[in-house]
Amino acid sequence: MNYNILTIFPGLIDTFSKTGFIKKSLNKGIINLNLVNIRDYSDDIHHRVDDKVYGGGPGMILKYPPIEKAIRDIKDKGHILYLSPQGKILNQKKLQELSNYKDLTFICGRYEGVDQRVIDELVDEEISIGDYVVSGGEIPCMAVMEGITRLLPGAVDDFESVKQDSFQDGILDYPHYTRPEEANGHKIPDVLSSGNHENIDKWRKKQALGATWLKRRELLKNVKLSEEDDKLLKEYIAEYKKHGY
Ligand code: SAM
């Protein structure tokens, strides 16, 4: 996967790329990062890339020409995304879809955003990380990039763990425990140290379904439960109503 990232703060993303599994994925050649400083495409002697808004009002806007020139200069642009609070809200399905591209280009906005002609003329899709506003597109871009990269074969050491993550099959993940077996008087569930893998799998499925019912009930409307899953969920709900958890 080749990521082209247009930003006025390449240092933010450069630091991110030197950490953890993103760094490893770069070293292994699973991803490539082409960081483009929009300021390098400014005609202004001071490399300014923002200006006041037409019609008056507060704030500055990233100008069209430097972004257009920067995009034109990229050889393998692929799908062009603008990170924006007005975009489609990111979810796991969208990450899966984006992970199928060979090249992706991200435009990170700043200030009040970008000149509308950038969105109308250059962008294929606007993506939001949620219904709130942060100060720039860099953090949203890193979230999208990290989410996509972990879906690429070889990026995460144990791909099974990715397959079991929340949302991969429409429900949330089950609870995880590690040593010590007892912490502050709280023991791990007995089944996990029983060595009986059939029971462990069943317990995990039940907890995953239960967690989804408890925390994100609306997700269950979009998953088709098998007879066995339905039974496990009913058991979970009955136990929850009886004892709470
Ligand atoms: N005036 C814009 C609006 O209300 O739609 C918000 C501009 S915001 C302060 C500056 C930049 O941060 C945006 O251009 C965008 O690139 C990025 N940004 C802010 N919130 C975002 C979100 N929820 N998702 C994706 N990008 C976001």
Side-chain angles (χ1 to χ4, degrees), residues 84-95 125-132 144:
S84 161
Q86 300 182 19
K88 215 179 290 160
I89 294 185
L90 186 67
N91 59 23
Q92 197 63 26
K93 193 162 160 245
K94 177 53 73 181
L95 289 176
E125 190 172 6
E126 291 178 74
I127 294 281
S128 165
I129 55 162
D131 286 345
Y132 50 89
V144 179

Side-chain angles (χ1 to χ4, degrees), residues 82-86 108-113 127-130 132-137 140:
Y82 171 49
L83 285 314
S84 161
Q86 300 182 19
C108 303
R110 275 277 156 179
Y111 315 119
E112 284 308 310
I127 294 281
S128 165
I129 55 162
Y132 50 89
V133 176
V134 294
S135 289

Side-chain angles (χ1 to χ4, degrees), residues 177 181-182 185-197 199-201 203-204 207 245:
Y177 297 86
E181 203 168 326
E182 190 177 321
H186 301 286
K187 255 194 102 242
I188 62 162
D190 288 338
V191 64
L192 295 179
S193 51
S194 69
N196 184 329
H197 288 286
N199 286 350
I200 292 173
D201 286 349
W203 180 87
R204 285 179 169 163
Q207 299 304 314
Y245 275 109

Side-chain angles (χ1 to χ4, degrees), residues 12-19 22-23 26 33 35 145:
L12 271 175
I13 293 167
D14 187 54
T15 302
F16 169 70
S17 73
K18 295 196 165 88
T19 316
I22 292 289
K23 176 182 163 186
L26 278 164
L33 187 57
L35 268 181
M145 225 174 98

Side-chain angles (χ1 to χ4, degrees), residues 20 98 102 112 191 201 216 240:
L98 293 175
K102 220 167 101 326
E112 284 308 310
V191 64
D201 286 349
R216 294 291 305 277
Y240 179 81

